[in-house]
């Protein structure tokens, strides 16, 4: 029987080995889950980077074998989201004043692309969830090992074991934190300034049980 | 230092400098075009994103090659990019450089990632 105790999943499918370098303060509310890909071909490179003091990371990592590592406590903030996209612009439901503000931020003269995207992300972060996409301060992150292919603009297809593990883990977390599977689980590429395909195959599997 | 030691130092320096040249060696841009993903939010910010062929050459000399894990954590992927083909040290590659400074260099066997930071951003105006 799976249990959650002091921010850790207690289950023989999960190896808990947390890395202080990727834990940044207390995570008070968990509103959502973000599905990531590592852009690496094995878990070792990610775990080694955490061990060497890398600051960005996610709460869970799933290797190609389907093995689940818990790499940060669920009561801790991880820096896994990055620069957010404006939700109301993507979903085409901004009120006119908000759309004007977003447009002004992305076209602000004299600022670099990076600065403008960061400013817009900060503006988004001031909104309450679910008016915006998840932030580091209210979400859990799951990394799934897989390399990006720039020629195809897609990540390598997750293994059957990875898909089974991510589905199991998402179901455990949705139940534990009383989330809505359809509304509160996101692919990283859909919500942040990352490759659009990041996490899309995982989300498709979590929703439908199949991947194209 | 005797003559043999002198030759060894010379050969060592020659080897080190040759390796550096191979890493940042001759780059010739064969083709380039600008692409904007109009399905991504805020794509209108891309209109003032302009790169020249010399910017592309400078990019692959100045940008830092990083592994996938670091790229995944740090790269900002904006909906505007230039893409094309180039040769580096006689080998042909496809390339992509995105507004914000992230880039790819790849062919059938190579799949490299780059980030433009610090001096690279100063050299290539309007990229970062």
């Amino acid at each position: 029987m799976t249990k959650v105790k002091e921010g850790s999943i207690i289950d023989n499918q999960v190896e808990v080995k947390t890395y202080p370098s990727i834990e940044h303060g207390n995570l008070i509310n968990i509103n959502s889950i973000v599905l990531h890909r590592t852009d690496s071909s094995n878990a070792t490179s990610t775990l080694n980077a955490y061990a060497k003091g890398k600051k960005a990371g996610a709460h869970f990592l799933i290797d190609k074998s389907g093995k689940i590592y818990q790499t940060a406590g669920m009561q801790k903030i991880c820096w896994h989201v990055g620069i957010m996209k404006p939700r109301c612009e993507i979903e085409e439901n901004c009120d006119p004043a908000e759309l004007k503000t977003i447009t002004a931020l992305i076209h602000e003269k004299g600022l670099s692309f990076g600065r403008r995207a960061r400013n817009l992300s900060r503006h988004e972060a001031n909104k309450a969830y679910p008016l915006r996409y998840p932030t580091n301060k209210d979400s859990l992150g799951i990394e799934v090992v897989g390399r990006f292919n720039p020629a195809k603009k897609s990540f390598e297809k997750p293994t059957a074991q990875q898909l089974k593990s991510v589905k199991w883990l998402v179901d455990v977390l949705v139940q534990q934190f009383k989330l809505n599977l359809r509304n509160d689980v996101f692919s990283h590429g859909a919500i942040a300034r990352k490759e659009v395909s990041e996490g899309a195959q995982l989300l498709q599997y979590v929703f439908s049980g199949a991947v194209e | 230092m005797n003559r043999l030691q002198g030759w060894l130092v010379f050969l060592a320096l020659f080897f080190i400098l040759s390796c550096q040249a191979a890493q940042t060696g001759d780059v010739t841009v064969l083709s380039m075009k600008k692409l904007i993903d109009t399905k991504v939010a805020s794509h209108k910010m891309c209109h003032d994103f302009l790169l020249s062929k010399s910017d592309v050459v400078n990019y692959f000399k100045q940008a830092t090659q990083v592994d996938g894990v670091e790229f995944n954590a740090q790269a900002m992927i904006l909906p505007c990019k230039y893409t094309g083909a180039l040769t580096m040290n006689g080998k042909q590659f496809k390339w992509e450089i995105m507004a914000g400074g992230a880039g790819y260099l790849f062919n059938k066997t190579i799949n490299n990632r780059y980030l433009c930071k610090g001096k690279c951003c100063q050299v290539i105006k309007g990229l970062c």
Side-chain angles (χ1 to χ4, degrees):
Chain A
M1 171 117 181
T2 308
K3 288 181 185 174
V4 174
K5 189 179 175 188
E6 294 172 358
S8 295
I9 294 186
I10 312 298
D11 189 284
N12 58 14
Q13 291 192 65
V14 181
E15 180 177 326
V16 180
K17 190 181 181 197
T18 59
Y19 294 81
S21 70
I22 64 166
E23 295 180 329
H24 308 279
N26 294 328
L27 181 57
I28 309 298
N29 294 316
I30 295 172
N31 291 326
S32 51
I33 298 166
V34 182
L35 304 176
H36 301 255
R37 301 304 299 274
T38 58
D39 196 14
S40 65
S41 47
N42 56 60
T44 309
S45 50
T46 301
L47 294 173
N48 284 346
Y50 292 170
K52 285 179 184 169
K54 184 173 179 266
K55 291 184 174 178
H59 299 84
F60 297 93
L61 174 68
I62 301 178
D63 202 356
K64 284 189 173 174
S65 64
K67 181 169 182 172
I68 302 170
Y69 298 90
Q70 183 173 351
T71 48
M74 289 187 286
Q75 77 281 42
K76 295 291 182 182
I77 291 169
C78 284
W79 295 346
H80 64 99
V81 173
I83 311 297
M84 267 193 295
K85 289 176 183 168
R87 184 168 192 170
C88 76
E89 189 190 12
I90 288 172
E91 298 180 5
E92 297 180 343
N93 57 13
C94 295
D95 68 52
E98 177 58 12
L99 193 56
K100 199 173 171 183
T101 302
I102 290 171
T103 304
L105 285 167
I106 62 169
H107 290 294
E108 195 168 351
K109 290 196 187 308
L111 297 185
S112 66
F113 289 105
R115 178 59 59 200
R116 282 182 275 162
R118 280 188 197 92
N119 286 349
L120 179 52
S121 182
R122 279 195 204 103
H123 171 75
E124 282 294 299
N126 288 327
K127 298 175 185 174
Y129 181 85
L131 294 175
R132 55 156 171 80
Y133 288 128
T135 67
N136 295 328
K137 292 180 180 174
D138 66 0
S139 65
L140 296 173
I142 302 173
E143 287 276 8
V144 176
V145 168
R147 191 92 165 117
F148 180 68
N149 182 339
K152 294 182 179 172
K153 302 307 291 176
S154 65
F155 285 80
E156 64 183 292
K157 193 173 178 182
T159 66
Q161 295 96 322
Q162 282 177 314
L163 291 170
K164 192 177 163 194
S165 293
V166 78
K167 172 74 176 148
W168 176 83
L169 181 56
V170 166
D171 286 345
V172 167
L173 298 175
V174 162
Q175 192 173 4
Q176 174 68 26
F177 297 104
K178 299 179 173 52
L179 306 178
N180 181 306
L181 181 68
R182 285 275 167 185
N183 296 333
D184 299 324
V185 184
F186 299 86
S187 65
H188 195 204
I191 67 163
R193 301 288 184 191
K194 296 291 177 183
E195 290 294 350
V196 173
S197 59
E198 187 186 337
Q201 297 155 311
L202 306 171
L203 192 67
Q204 188 185 19
Y205 186 83
V206 165
F207 284 170
S208 70
V211 178
E212 286 173 11
Chain B
M1 184 183 293
N2 62 29
R3 181 174 280 187
L4 178 63
Q5 286 173 320
W7 271 107
L8 287 173
V9 170
F10 172 79
L11 285 172
L13 282 172
F14 180 79
F15 179 74
I16 290 165
L17 291 172
S18 298
C19 288
Q20 285 177 341
Q23 196 178 357
T24 60
D26 286 342
V27 176
T28 304
V29 178
L30 303 175
S31 64
M32 65 185 291
K33 64 180 174 184
K34 183 177 178 178
L35 293 177
I36 298 175
D37 187 346
T38 55
K39 288 182 278 185
V40 174
S42 317
H43 65 86
K44 287 178 184 167
M45 75 192 305
C46 298
H47 290 289
D48 53 352
F49 178 47
L50 293 171
L51 288 183
S52 65
K53 281 190 174 180
S54 64
D55 288 332
V56 177
V57 172
N58 280 330
Y59 180 88
F60 287 104
K61 290 187 173 180
Q62 299 288 342
T64 307
Q65 189 183 333
V66 296
D67 64 20
V69 174
E70 186 176 349
F71 186 86
N72 189 37
Q74 292 193 26
M76 185 187 303
I77 307 294
L78 293 174
C80 15
K81 65 183 175 188
Y82 278 83
T83 180
L86 60 74
T87 58
M88 185 184 286
N89 300 319
K91 290 180 182 168
Q92 192 163 332
F93 299 91
K94 289 183 177 175
W95 59 271
E96 288 184 8
I97 301 173
M98 283 154 277
Y104 298 110
L105 185 72
F106 57 98
N107 60 22
K108 281 185 179 172
T109 54
I110 300 292
N111 186 0
N112 292 342
R113 282 103 178 89
Y114 297 83
L115 294 172
C116 189
K117 301 183 275 192
K119 189 184 170 192
C120 174
C121 292
Q122 290 171 5
V123 169
I124 307 168
K125 304 284 183 205
L127 172 62
C128 301

